[in-house]
Amino acid sequence: MSLNSEGLVSKVRKAANPVSKRDYPTEAGVELQGKEGEQSHAPALTEGEDKNRVNTGRMLEQVLDRENLNLAYKRVKKNGGSHGADGMKVDELLPYLKQHGENLKQSILEGKYRPQPVRRVEIPKPDGGIRLLGIPTAIDRMIQQAIAQVLSPVFEKEFSKYSYGFRPGCNAHQAILQAQQYINEGYKVVVDLDL
């Protein structure tokens, strides 16, 4: 049996993302919709360039390295959490990866993998009202974790020591202590910036 290139791409996509959407409605898409086939390639270092600059040419391979993916899986498993839009629970991730892991990696390498829509849930706030929370699929959480494990060491050294949000070893309590120190030093304004 032969497949034309369109049929093969369709088959690879189905193999890479064979999880059914079950009974959970998709309420929001992801940013990549309509960007099919686009890829981003960062140039490797060339002679005469800054040696301190990070060589991004092999980052994707680092993300998809077996040890990195295993560590990402373990962290997602440890964190637990609810299912995403596809209905897959974290406990179902390992059997899925055993069966479809190589196809998943190949689709990422080829730039064909597309994250699934994020499941939206409403969390009641203590003061009334609601907070919207987006829950990615277990597969997407694992991929995001694998990416973060490679990118964090690269960018971490570039951040200000006074940047406290969502960084290893940093928290809101430290930000408050720093703000109090500034007040004690005579500063009158504290800026809370969120990008």
Side-chain angles (χ1 to χ4, degrees):
M1 175 174 123
S2 70
L3 289 172
N4 62 23
S5 62
E6 230 173 76
L8 181 59
V9 168
S10 174
K11 188 174 183 179
V12 168
R13 273 197 196 113
K14 286 178 185 170
N17 290 321
V19 180
S20 70
K21 299 239 187 301
R22 296 191 186 160
D23 297 341
Y24 301 100
T26 303
E27 298 167 17
V30 293
E31 292 83 5
L32 293 176
Q33 289 177 340
K35 301 287 186 188
E36 190 167 317
E38 292 184 22
Q39 295 183 28
S40 174
H41 297 283
L45 288 175
T46 59
E47 191 173 328
E49 285 192 76
D50 181 3
K51 300 292 183 206
N52 293 325
R53 187 172 152 224
V54 176
N55 183 349
T56 58
R58 299 205 33 93
M59 279 191 171
L60 188 55
E61 287 80 6
Q62 292 172 12
V63 167
L64 297 176
D65 176 76
R66 182 179 187 87
E67 286 183 37
N68 188 52
L69 289 173
N70 285 339
L71 180 59
Y73 165 77
K74 288 175 184 175
R75 287 185 174 165
V76 168
K77 175 82 171 152
K78 181 181 176 186
N79 289 339
S82 186
H83 61 83
D86 62 358
M88 179 189 290
K89 298 175 184 169
V90 173
D91 290 340
E92 299 171 297
L93 185 54
L94 185 57
Y96 172 85
L97 292 171
K98 285 181 179 180
Q99 185 174 358
H100 302 286
E102 287 305 314
N103 288 336
L104 178 63
K105 283 173 60 173
Q106 191 61 37
S107 70
I108 293 169
L109 280 170
E110 293 173 1
K112 296 176 181 172
Y113 181 78
R114 296 292 175 253
Q116 296 298 307
V118 174
R119 182 170 70 101
R120 299 284 178 207
V121 294
E122 295 178 351
I123 308 293
K125 290 183 175 180
D127 63 350
I130 58 165
R131 188 184 101 184
L132 291 176
L133 180 66
I135 304 175
T137 65
I139 296 165
D140 288 339
R141 290 198 305 258
M142 188 195 78
I143 294 169
Q144 291 167 7
Q145 180 64 43
I147 292 169
Q149 290 168 181
V150 171
L151 292 182
S152 288
V154 172
F155 290 105
E156 189 60 33
K157 60 187 171 198
E158 300 294 326
F159 288 127
S160 164
K161 67 179 184 176
Y162 302 110
S163 177
Y164 299 97
F166 303 101
R167 294 181 56 213
C170 298
N171 58 48
H173 297 289
Q174 293 167 327
I176 292 168
L177 289 173
Q178 183 63 53
Q180 287 176 331
Q181 182 178 336
Y182 287 142
I183 291 168
N184 293 338
E185 291 172 4
Y187 291 95
K188 305 265 186 241
V189 178
V190 175
V191 177
D192 176 11
L193 181 66
D194 190 7
L195 299 178

